[in-house]
Amino acid sequence: MVVYKILPRTVWSKAIEQGEFAGHGIDLEDGFIHLSSAQQVRETARLHFAGQTDLLLIEVDGEQLGESLTWESSRGGDLFPHVYGVIPMAAVTDTYPLAESADGFLFPESIQNR
């Protein structure tokens, strides 16, 4: 199972230096790391990241997160993946630049059909 996190490149660079991602912004306020499934990530980008630049889409192997990954009701009653803990770098399977165009965000082909 693959889940996603959208972050500014500068925040991700710090996480790489630390060897794990412990949250940013609203994650720290809420006490868990907000993630999205492939079906949810486009709407997450539109609602929370419009107009921002130098973003990365972080792809995470949810199975490597173990019991720290839970699915909880959120926006519109949908179940969203949340991490209670940290995301170790070993769980990150890829990162992609995430740019916005006039038609919305440009996502990598690898998640187009998920």
Side-chain angles (χ1 to χ4, degrees):
M1 150 207 18
V2 177
V3 291
Y4 297 92
K5 180 71 178 170
I6 300 172
L7 290 170
R9 185 179 304 271
T10 55
V11 172
W12 186 243
S13 294
K14 272 188 177 174
I16 291 171
E17 289 174 15
Q18 295 170 346
E20 63 187 21
F21 177 69
H24 171 73
I26 195 166
D27 302 327
L28 300 174
E29 292 172 25
D30 289 348
F32 58 86
I33 299 172
H34 294 262
L35 300 172
S36 298
S37 69
Q39 294 78 23
Q40 297 163 332
V41 72
R42 287 170 190 76
E43 183 72 358
T44 297
R46 186 185 70 76
L47 289 174
H48 302 288
F49 295 93
Q52 296 183 41
T53 59
D54 208 20
L55 296 172
L56 293 175
L57 178 67
I58 313 302
E59 184 178 87
V60 179
D61 178 354
E63 292 180 19
Q64 289 194 38
L65 298 175
E67 292 181 10
S68 69
L69 177 66
T70 63
W71 292 78
E72 298 176 310
S73 184
S74 189
R75 187 171 60 227
D78 286 345
L79 294 178
F80 276 76
H82 296 152
V83 173
Y84 287 87
V86 300
I87 298 174
M89 288 300 135
V92 176
T93 55
D94 217 333
T95 60
Y96 306 94
L98 188 60
E100 191 174 17
S101 74
D103 297 328
F105 284 92
L106 304 172
F107 284 86
E109 280 188 38
S110 61
I111 68 165
Q112 293 299 328
N113 296 321
R114 287 191 185 168

